[in-house]
Amino acid sequence: MERLTQQEEDAMQAVWKAGEGSVKSFMSEMAPPLPPYTTLASTIKNLEKKGFVTSRLVGNVNLYAPVITEEAYKQRFMGNVVKDYFENSYKELVSFFVQKNKISAEDLKEIIGLIENKK
């Protein structure tokens, strides 16, 4: 699975929110500034070529649906980020955010609680 561009990720977010829909319905799921209709339509077609969405013709409208779940994409994407930038260590990832003051001690306690409750 290849990584999506920001434009493609934005479109996929709309597809995941809508479930199945037309380009017009995906536009209503997106935050401003909205891309032009034709740009979004081209992006959705590219996502179909890449295997991220599937389409079916209903009347004269193409309806698109996600092939991959948002969770599966996140898992794959984050796994690649950790592997490529953090020596395949989630500990290094957390350490990075601590050093950049992007995560607080309270957040870490909450994460530890989630880990402990999972056992």
Side-chain angles (χ1 to χ4, degrees):
M1 175 192 324
E2 68 183 270
R3 184 167 178 217
L4 300 176
T5 66
Q6 185 60 53
Q7 185 174 340
E8 290 169 335
E9 281 190 13
D10 292 345
M12 276 307 299
Q13 290 291 333
V15 172
W16 286 319
K17 283 181 189 173
E20 181 181 58
S22 64
V23 173
K24 186 176 179 180
S25 67
F26 299 147
M27 288 197 76
S28 67
E29 297 292 344
M30 298 178 85
L34 297 176
Y37 178 90
T38 53
T39 301
L40 182 58
S42 294
T43 302
I44 297 293
K45 278 290 184 195
N46 287 338
L47 288 168
E48 184 177 22
K49 287 177 191 168
K50 291 181 174 185
F52 284 87
V53 299
T54 187
S55 69
R56 64 186 180 98
L57 191 60
V58 177
N60 62 350
V61 175
N62 276 316
L63 294 181
Y64 299 91
V67 171
I68 183 171
T69 66
E70 183 176 10
E71 184 64 31
Y73 180 73
K74 282 181 189 176
Q75 196 169 19
R76 178 70 182 250
F77 175 74
M78 285 307 298
N80 286 339
V81 167
V82 171
K83 184 180 87 180
D84 295 342
Y85 298 102
F86 298 100
E87 301 171 15
N88 212 26
S89 167
Y90 285 89
K91 180 180 170 187
E92 290 294 323
L93 172 74
V94 172
S95 226
F96 170 81
F97 287 115
V98 168
Q99 290 171 8
K100 299 294 181 187
N101 295 320
K102 299 291 183 186
I103 193 167
S104 68
E106 192 171 301
D107 290 337
L108 286 172
K109 287 177 187 172
E110 194 174 320
I111 291 167
I112 290 167
L114 290 170
I115 293 167
E116 288 174 343
N117 289 333
K118 197 161 186 153
K119 292 179 181 180

